[in-house]
Amino acid sequence: MKTLLLMRHAKSSWKHAEMPDQERPLNKRGNKDAPIMGSLIKEKELVPQKILCSTAVRATETARMVQEKSGFTGETVFLDSYYLAEPNAYLEALQTLPDEIERVMVIGHNPGLEGLCQILSGQIVPLSTGAVAHLVLSINHWNELNMDGEGELVETFSPGDLKEKEKKGKEKGKEKVKEKEKGKQKAKKKK
């Protein structure tokens, strides 16, 4: 069994329209979201042993922030072939990994990343910017990986989902504080 994390780069900037696509950096939201996802990967104990990443600036910046926040200590390989790649380009690089690597993260682009997730899991899963799909592959050797779908999608998580969860948590916290205050006021009135 192998573990594969598919991460779409965080939100990128379109501020300078004349800038070549491959050189576009992360925007303000992307710079906030990438570290959040790195922390989440650490929290979920999914820190990869190796990262395979597109050479596009928005992907390399995402990788750097994920590495910092997750505590990643492995090797990161930057691949030109991952820039706007089709699923087979992702597969080809994964097939060359040594078997002692159990958990790998791929940081790349849509639509190829979503296509790869669908091929491996049999499920159509949208990957918004910064989102991660966690797959378990029923293979023992990376060179066995192919287009026949040997994986199970365990979960997906995105910065938007986390922000929504955090917002709900804050709302619940406020409700508890209000209930406590009401309880204190009732206790005072009884005295």
Side-chain angles (χ1 to χ4, degrees):
M1 302 289 269
K2 302 289 186 190
T3 300
L4 179 61
L5 303 172
L6 301 177
M7 181 175 192
R8 183 176 174 197
H9 64 79
K11 188 74 174 165
S12 60
S13 174
W14 288 94
K15 199 174 194 176
H16 304 286
E18 74 286 350
M19 183 179 285
D21 182 67
Q22 197 163 1
E23 294 176 19
R24 288 189 299 110
L26 296 180
N27 67 10
K28 190 182 277 188
R29 188 174 103 198
N31 281 306
K32 288 180 183 176
D33 290 349
I36 289 169
M37 298 309 286
S39 295
L40 182 67
I41 288 163
K42 182 177 183 176
E43 180 185 310
K44 291 184 170 281
E45 298 180 1
L46 290 173
V47 179
Q49 293 165 282
K50 189 169 199 142
I51 295 176
L52 303 177
C53 182
S54 163
T55 54
V57 171
R58 57 192 180 271
T60 62
E61 288 180 348
T62 299
R64 181 180 48 78
M65 291 182 209
V66 166
Q67 291 166 350
E68 288 172 8
K69 288 296 185 174
S70 69
F72 174 79
T73 58
E75 177 188 18
T76 300
V77 178
F78 297 97
L79 301 163
D80 287 330
S81 64
Y82 275 16
Y83 173 63
L84 303 180
E86 293 296 321
N88 63 333
Y90 291 115
L91 278 176
E92 287 172 9
L94 287 165
Q95 290 166 339
T96 66
L97 292 173
D99 290 331
E100 60 269 10
I101 302 285
E102 297 294 327
R103 186 180 305 130
V104 174
M105 173 178 268
V106 168
I107 300 176
H109 311 268
N110 273 347
L113 221 48
E114 286 180 354
L116 179 61
C117 187
Q118 182 179 352
I119 288 165
L120 295 177
S121 71
Q123 296 184 49
I124 297 172
V125 179
L127 293 175
S128 59
T129 52
V132 175
H134 170 200
L135 294 105
V136 175
L137 307 173
S138 58
I139 57 171
N140 294 313
H141 308 282
W142 289 104
N143 65 5
E144 297 171 354
L145 193 60
N146 59 49
M147 298 282 210
D148 292 337
E150 303 102 349
E152 175 191 340
L153 179 65
V154 177
E155 64 182 327
T156 59
F157 35 96
S158 71
D161 294 342
L162 297 174
K163 288 174 189 171
E164 188 63 31
K165 195 183 257 186
E166 186 178 305
K167 183 179 171 184
K168 286 180 182 177
K170 285 180 182 178
E171 288 171 2
K172 278 187 178 181
K174 286 179 184 178
E175 287 174 17
K176 285 183 180 180
V177 169
K178 285 180 183 177
E179 287 176 22
K180 252 187 181 177
E181 289 300 316
K182 284 182 184 177
K184 286 180 184 177
Q185 288 174 357
K186 283 182 183 179
K188 281 183 182 178
K189 285 181 182 179
K190 286 182 180 179
K191 289 182 181 180

